[in-house]
Each structure stands twice: as C-alpha cells, then as structure tokens.
Amino acid sequence: MRSTMFRIGGELDVRRLGFGAMRLPTGPGSDRDASLAVARRAVELGVTLIDTAHMYGWGANEELLAEALHPYPDGLIVTTKVGIARSASAAGWRHDASPDGLRAQVDHALRRLRVDRIELLQLHRIDPAVPLADQLGALRELRTEGKVGQIGLSEVTVTELDEARKTVDIASVQNRYSLVDREHEPVLAACEAAGIAFLPWRPVAGATSGVAAGVAADVAAVATELDATPAQVSLAWLLARSPVILPIPGTGRIAHLEENVVAAGLHLSPAQREQLDGLDRLPTQD
C-alpha cells in the first residue's frame, strides 16, 4: 500500500503531498489577503511541507508565510532555498553561493520566517564560480551552529549529487520532474537508492495542454475513469512513481489547492499506471 508519509533525512516526518508557495502574490491588498488564506488553508488540509525560497520575492514570500502561519503548528516544515541573489541583469538574478553570501541569506531567512532554525534548507542552484565543497561546507557549518537542520540541493545532476554527498549528508533534491518531463529520471533513481527525498517542481506542467497535448488526451482519459482532473491524475502518478517523491504543487487559489490535496487519496489501477508510465517524455511549456 502506498505510504502517505516520508521521513526527510531520517528526522522530519511529513506528508508526501506538499505545497509550493512560489505563486502566492505578496503585494498589499486583496491579493495578499488571498495568499494568506491559501497558506492557512493548506495547513488546515493537513499539508506539513511548504516550500519557499529567498528568490521568491527576495524574501517577501518567506515573510508572507510567517505572517500567515507563525507560530507554526507542530509538525509543519517550511523549507527555504538560498544561493541566488538579485541582480540588474536581464534575468534579474545571479548565483551567490559564496560562504559569506549563504550565511547572510540564511540569517535573513531566519529573521523573515521568525525561527531560530531552518529544519530543511536547500541550495537553490550550485554556484559555478565557487567550489562545491566550499558551498556545502558553509551549510554544514551553519548546521553545526544549529541554524540549519537538514540540507538539500536543487537542479542537480547525479554527478553533482554524488560529489555533494562527499562533503555533507543530503536529505533532499528538488529538480524539475513530471509525468511528461522525465529528464531527471537518473537523479530520481539515485535519490530512491539513497533514501533521499525528491521534490519535483512543476509537477503537473504539460500534462493538460500545450506541446504535450497528445499526452493530455491520455491523461484526460484516465481522469475520466477516476472522476478526477488531469492535474490530480498527474499528482497521483508521481506519488505512485516512487516512495521518495514529495510533490509540491503551487497555486494562488484555494479551490485549486483543495483539488490538489485530494490527489493524495487518488489511487491508480495497475492498468492506469502502465498506461501513464508509457507516455512519451515530451518537453513542457512555460
């Protein structure tokens, strides 16, 4: 029987279907009120893993979650990511995983989230200008100081994951992955072998429209059989795909949030699993 729980790093017990906070508007007014309501509703629905990052509004998303949820209920893990800084470039950001940069970002995150310790901290991107051992060594020092609990990575290859584990224990990996975007299948396999949590971002992208429209018809057919939505089927497939997968679908609407949470209880038959497993791995659209 499929487990609904996972223990990250052997310490943090969470429900496998989490929530990604990136899409929550953080500006003033009614949009912010709606964001606060969505975050609170996620916890009411039993979500125990919420993902944010320094990059999401340059700290504004972290502040929003603190406003909505602090003091945090027992068992709720708010994970954040560091290693990206704002810049004047066309992209609007740059890598900054220097030891000093990471330490400053962690201190800011602690203040914004109103906590003394970040139970799961993830390196948003490996900084190509800084030796990986120096980046992870800084996070290991922060863990020794008690400011960080478990350490994770984001958007890494199998080789990078292996290299990182020589410096520090890795509890999670957050890579792009979905029913129609399986580029990081080798990374998922490595995580499963090591018992590392795998948090796919954009977990339902491409399954319902766009360039993957051919696949969308197959997903819609399974959804009809289950009286579910294609997004729910996509999430159910992820949960069935591997016991280490912890999807973090994001939304700014309560109705969509509630729809996503229902997917945790949706079970695919062996025939439906086989049908979905066999779909072409097509690229997704932004």
Side-chain angles (χ1 to χ4, degrees):
M1 186 174 180
R2 188 180 76 197
S3 174
T4 60
M5 302 293 294
F6 186 84
R7 180 167 290 177
I8 300 175
E11 292 184 355
L12 307 174
D13 289 315
V14 297
R15 292 190 177 181
R16 287 181 57 206
L17 188 61
F19 174 70
M22 182 180 71
R23 295 186 181 181
L24 294 179
T26 57
S30 59
D31 283 349
R32 185 179 187 85
D33 292 339
S35 294
L36 295 172
V38 169
R40 290 165 181 156
R41 182 61 177 150
V43 174
E44 289 174 356
L45 292 170
V47 170
T48 56
L49 176 65
I50 295 180
D51 175 80
T52 184
H54 168 72
M55 187 182 186
Y56 303 162
W58 306 113
N61 197 267
E62 294 169 331
E63 292 175 339
L64 176 82
L65 291 176
E67 181 181 343
L69 302 173
H70 190 273
Y72 304 106
D74 291 342
L76 177 64
I77 303 300
V78 177
T79 172
T80 193
K81 298 182 287 293
V82 294
I84 298 292
R86 179 183 267 170
S87 81
S89 68
W93 64 271
R94 61 181 173 82
H95 293 94
D96 184 8
S98 64
D100 287 345
L102 291 173
R103 182 172 289 277
Q105 287 186 36
V106 168
D107 284 342
H108 288 317
L110 290 168
R111 174 178 54 80
R112 291 172 178 138
L113 290 169
R114 308 181 198 174
V115 294
D116 297 321
R117 171 185 168 104
I118 298 168
E119 295 297 342
L120 174 61
L121 179 78
Q122 300 175 99
L123 184 63
H124 208 154
R125 294 291 187 275
I126 290 175
D127 189 338
V130 179
L132 181 57
D134 291 351
Q135 299 174 57
L136 295 174
L139 298 184
R140 184 182 58 198
E141 290 177 1
L142 288 163
R143 187 179 66 183
T144 299
E145 295 169 16
K147 293 183 176 181
V148 170
Q150 301 295 327
I151 295 170
L153 302 171
S154 180
E155 284 303 286
V156 293
T157 64
V158 172
T159 299
E160 290 167 337
L161 175 59
D162 289 343
E163 185 66 23
R165 295 179 69 201
K166 295 176 183 178
T167 300
V168 69
D169 290 336
I170 299 299
S172 69
V173 167
Q174 187 169 329
N175 277 21
R176 191 189 70 252
Y177 185 85
S178 70
L179 178 61
V180 298
D181 182 5
R182 308 183 202 179
E183 175 186 348
H184 294 294
E185 195 85 45
V187 181
L188 170 59
C191 288
E192 186 170 338
I196 294 171
F198 185 88
L199 283 62
W201 59 274
R202 296 185 67 196
V204 300
T208 58
S209 63
V211 71
V215 171
D218 289 322
V219 177
V222 174
T224 298
E225 293 173 3
L226 295 171
D227 191 23
T229 67
Q232 288 172 328
V233 169
S234 299
L235 291 170
W237 179 83
L238 284 170
L239 291 168
R241 174 67 185 82
S242 170
V244 304
I245 288 183
L246 282 63
I248 47 171
T251 180
R253 297 188 297 112
I254 286 181
H256 192 195
L257 166 70
E258 292 174 341
E259 175 186 304
N260 288 340
V261 170
V262 169
L266 187 66
H267 293 275
L268 306 171
S269 70
Q272 291 164 340
R273 280 277 313 274
E274 184 177 359
Q275 180 180 354
L276 296 171
D277 286 347
L279 296 180
D280 290 341
R281 298 175 184 182
L282 300 178
T284 57
Q285 257 185 351
D286 290 329

